[in-house]
Amino acid sequence: MDISYFREFVLLAEIKNYWAAAERLYIGQSSLSKHIKTMEQQLGAPLFNRTSRKVELTEFGKKMLPFAQRIARLQYEYEAAAYNFLQTGNMILDIASIPVIPHYYITDILIEYQKDYPNMQINMQEADTLILREWLIERKCELAFYRDSLTYLDHDPLKEARLTKIPYWEDQLMAVLPKDHKLSGIQQIELSQLAEESFAFIKKDTMPYTLCMRVCQEAGFMPKVQFTSHNLETLLDMVVKGDCVSLQFFNQVEFFRKTFYAKQVVALPIYPPIKTTIYLAYLNDIPLSKAATHFLEYLDKHKLN
């Protein structure tokens, strides 16, 4: 049995969809199905139930999964060791991200990846989601971490069809209020309750600004934007000192919990929840470089830890 089949088994167990798993593995769906059947034949029992649109692990599959995860991890480690021994020159990974990478541990992933592949040079660019999507289409970067929402953002169907988007992190919008605000003591808040407030938003022509304007309008009011900035700490300062409120994502707020602002502001969940997803995206109609493929494989294996 090809040892790489174990990684395919692990990924299919995670995604529960043959088409999506095959796309992540850069192989055809029929090839993935054939590989899983080969594993089942050699192991002696079915690994998955295939009675619905989603595949689910059998009891035997659940028993085998921890072993497959360890084998997949070991395969990654020896391939990385062999690559680093044989590679004599630097490879370059061109990757882009929204500017808040520490809030979502993207920095940590890049650091750990660099440790495993010390010959890899990482060229990092930062920009807003609306820019990053165009950079990918224009091939100004190969991979990009960006925040998206199918509900609250406009999308070009032709461009979207060219992008493969791997979900990385889910986040939701929070209302950030001064601690002494009259609504600061409630458990959750409806946006309509903030209709008369002044707002501090991330600057115009960005994904967060576009989303915040859209959700307020859908809640029945046009927000009075008193202040905009690209800096999250500046926005929190405006909430504390400027008699206004803000809308920020949960992970961004959590990142400032240990700062001065933790005792000065209150972050309330919005009801109904307004969720977004951080994706790692790339063009699916051109071949990826070896460096980009290495990183995607690393990210898959990183989740197995």
Side-chain angles (χ1 to χ4, degrees):
M1 185 192 311
D2 188 329
I3 193 173
S4 63
Y5 292 1
F6 287 97
R7 175 174 174 257
E8 295 174 10
F9 164 50
V10 171
L11 190 61
L12 181 58
E14 176 190 340
I15 296 179
K16 301 180 181 179
N17 180 283
Y18 270 94
W19 179 86
E23 186 178 55
R24 291 270 292 275
L25 292 162
Y26 317 110
I27 62 175
Q29 184 175 339
S30 60
S31 295
L32 175 58
S33 180
K34 182 179 178 180
H35 296 169
I36 297 299
K37 287 180 180 178
T38 299
M39 286 189 69
E40 292 174 331
Q41 290 170 358
Q42 296 195 19
L43 291 173
L47 296 166
F48 294 96
N49 290 315
R50 303 172 177 83
T51 55
S52 62
R53 292 181 63 186
K54 283 189 175 182
V55 293
E56 299 287 348
L57 285 169
T58 62
E59 289 303 313
F60 179 70
K62 293 176 183 178
K63 188 72 174 178
M64 292 296 101
L65 182 59
F67 298 101
Q69 289 172 326
R70 282 150 58 186
I71 292 170
R73 179 63 192 175
L74 184 61
Q75 181 189 17
Y76 168 77
E77 290 175 352
Y78 78 66
E79 286 180 347
Y83 167 83
N84 289 321
F85 181 82
L86 297 172
Q87 186 70 29
T88 56
N90 282 357
M91 292 178 65
I92 298 176
L93 174 65
D94 288 315
I95 189 167
S97 175
I98 52 178
V100 290
I101 60 174
H103 306 172
Y104 298 96
Y105 305 100
I106 297 172
T107 311
D108 303 63
I109 289 176
L110 293 174
I111 291 171
E112 291 303 314
Y113 175 66
Q114 244 277 303
K115 289 179 181 178
D116 284 357
Y117 289 94
N119 292 320
M120 188 72 69
Q121 176 184 328
I122 300 174
N123 290 343
M124 187 72 177
Q125 304 178 76
E126 293 185 345
D128 179 69
T129 287
L130 303 181
I131 296 174
L132 292 178
R133 291 193 305 194
E134 295 304 313
W135 280 2
L136 284 170
I137 296 297
E138 296 167 5
R139 300 177 64 177
K140 293 182 178 178
C141 62
E142 276 201 288
L143 304 173
F145 285 99
Y146 64 73
R147 186 192 308 278
D148 207 353
S149 168
L150 293 177
T151 305
Y152 300 109
L153 292 180
D154 297 326
H155 297 80
D156 182 329
L158 295 179
K159 291 181 179 179
E160 282 294 297
R162 297 184 62 197
L163 295 173
T164 293
K165 295 160 44 175
I166 302 171
Y168 170 72
W169 199 290
E170 189 174 88
D171 205 352
Q172 69 180 59
L173 205 61
M174 308 283 285
V176 182
L177 287 64
K179 195 168 185 179
D180 58 358
H181 194 280
K182 62 183 179 182
L183 297 174
S184 64
I186 62 178
Q187 295 300 308
Q188 61 183 14
I189 194 167
E190 296 183 21
L191 275 179
S192 58
Q193 293 177 268
L194 301 175
E196 301 303 319
E197 301 287 340
S198 296
F199 285 87
F201 282 167
I202 289 289
K203 64 179 182 178
K204 291 183 178 180
D205 300 320
T206 63
M207 180 274 184
Y209 183 91
T210 303
L211 182 140
C212 290
M213 293 295 289
R214 179 76 60 85
V215 297
C216 288
Q217 291 171 31
E218 292 190 3
F221 68 97
M222 177 64 73
K224 178 186 175 184
V225 181
Q226 178 177 300
F227 185 82
T228 64
S229 171
H230 72 283
N231 188 290
L232 295 174
E233 191 169 354
T234 301
L235 293 177
L236 290 177
D237 210 40
M238 286 300 299
V239 170
V240 173
K241 303 172 182 177
D243 193 28
C244 59
V245 302
S246 187
L247 301 178
Q248 301 292 336
F249 296 102
F250 175 81
N251 274 70
Q252 296 172 346
V253 174
E254 287 297 297
F255 194 76
F256 288 103
R257 285 293 188 192
K258 297 179 181 180
T259 70
F260 161 80
Y261 299 101
K263 298 179 180 180
Q264 306 295 317
V265 301
V266 173
L268 301 178
I270 295 171
Y271 181 82
I274 298 167
K275 296 186 177 182
T276 64
T277 302
I278 306 291
Y279 293 99
L280 177 59
Y282 58 90
L283 280 178
N284 54 36
D285 54 4
I286 60 171
L288 288 172
S289 69
K290 185 177 291 187
T293 302
H294 269 300
F295 184 75
L296 289 172
E297 291 175 349
Y298 171 82
L299 195 63
D300 274 336
K301 294 179 176 70
H302 189 77
K303 293 179 181 178
L304 305 182
N305 293 342

